[in-house]
Amino acid sequence: MSKNTRTILKVGITGGIGSGKTTVCKVFEALGIPVYYADWHARQLMVNAPRLVAGVKELFGPDAYLEDGALNRPYIAEKVFNNDKNLRQLNHLVHPAVAEDADRWHHAQENVPYTLKEAALLFESGINKQLDKVITVFAPEELRLQRVIARDKVSAKEVRARMVKQMPEAEKLKLADFVVYNDGAHSLVRQVWDIHQALLATSEIV
Ligand code: ATP
């Protein structure tokens, strides 16, 4: 395949809460790789995508939005907190909307060997099936806990409550094509550079 028609690979990056996904993505961005931050886009789409807004209102009622059109976050949080059925139904609306948006975004990219899609629930939502490669960022639980407590000013209990809702780290490691160890003992830049080189080589042979 000639360079001009080269396929742009779709690469996903995931990891548990506080593992360092965003931090690692910043290194890829410094190498010129565009990153789609799925959680950020999901929040935008929940107020800007008419079909999704209509779906959320149908699911949770008009109180899901404030008068100015902003999402009524405390109301939604109450609806999904400890209610797995509501959370599943909300995800069922949001995940396809984000997948569609990410796909549009990916196809709008030019002159890059691959794009990165950052998502905390990459495997849980099945997004990985639409990707060519997946990177898992790994950090020990205790370190993730300390980092999130420091970053979000929340309690250990709150962080642990979020952790138990995510797929165990061992599973994410098994499913990954590449792993970045963000444990303070390995160089992030070195690891990202090596993965970048491997992805460049892969993008040339597809
Ligand atoms: P979340 O899933 O909550 O969005 P995340 O996986 O994107 O988190 P980051 O936000 O990148 O994780 O990192 C969590 C916190 O830990 C941040 O405050 C970040 O600055 C810090 N951090 C991440 N990696 C390192 C590191 N190698 N050394 C020091 N601090 C780090």
Side-chain angles (χ1 to χ4, degrees):
M1 195 179 278
S2 83
K3 266 202 158 166
N4 293 337
T5 58
R6 198 163 82 178
T7 310
I8 299 177
L9 293 179
K10 282 185 185 176
V11 181
I13 181 160
T14 191
I17 176 173
S19 56
K21 296 177 290 297
T22 309
T23 306
V24 171
C25 284
K26 297 291 170 206
V27 185
F28 278 102
E29 283 180 325
L31 295 172
I33 300 304
V35 181
Y36 183 95
Y37 293 93
D39 291 351
W40 184 87
H41 283 279
R43 284 196 291 275
Q44 300 301 309
L45 290 167
M46 281 184 82
V47 289
N48 295 327
R51 216 151 30 106
L52 182 55
V53 171
V56 173
K57 282 183 183 167
E58 201 178 312
L59 184 61
F60 295 142
D63 288 346
Y65 290 86
L66 302 173
E67 263 177 35
D68 63 0
L71 196 66
N72 187 348
R73 295 199 164 277
Y75 177 83
I76 301 273
E78 194 196 301
K79 286 281 178 194
V80 299
F81 187 72
N82 285 339
N83 187 326
D84 286 346
K85 184 168 171 244
N86 277 352
L87 181 61
R88 234 185 356 262
Q89 286 179 324
L90 181 63
N91 282 339
H92 197 68
L93 291 174
V94 176
H95 288 161
V98 174
E100 210 177 285
D101 186 62
D103 215 46
R104 255 196 317 271
W105 171 88
H106 172 83
H107 288 293
Q109 304 302 317
E110 288 175 350
N111 300 319
V112 289
Y114 62 95
T115 67
L116 267 189
K117 181 172 185 182
E118 190 249 33
L121 303 177
L122 197 81
F123 295 121
E124 292 89 333
S125 62
I127 296 169
N128 59 310
K129 295 188 194 106
Q130 297 152 21
L131 301 167
D132 298 303
K133 299 283 176 196
V134 174
I135 302 165
T136 290
V137 181
F138 174 82
E141 190 171 310
E142 205 44 46
L143 195 53
R144 293 197 283 133
L145 199 64
Q146 287 166 18
R147 284 174 178 166
V148 176
I149 291 169
R151 185 193 61 187
D152 297 347
K153 312 282 175 264
V154 288
S155 69
K157 196 173 164 213
E158 282 173 79
V159 184
R160 285 194 206 281
R162 284 193 255 164
M163 278 176 171
V164 296
K165 291 197 188 290
Q166 301 186 334
M167 179 186 273
E169 297 305 286
E171 285 297 307
K172 289 187 199 130
L173 291 179
K174 262 193 252 165
L175 293 166
D177 297 289
F178 302 99
V179 178
V180 174
Y181 293 92
N182 186 19
D183 51 5
H186 296 79
S187 157
L188 282 189
V189 174
R190 176 82 231 179
Q191 293 179 85
V192 169
W193 179 253
D194 288 347
I195 293 170
H196 181 65
Q197 295 307 321
L199 289 170
L200 289 184
T202 308
S203 82
E204 271 165 17
I205 53 174
V206 291

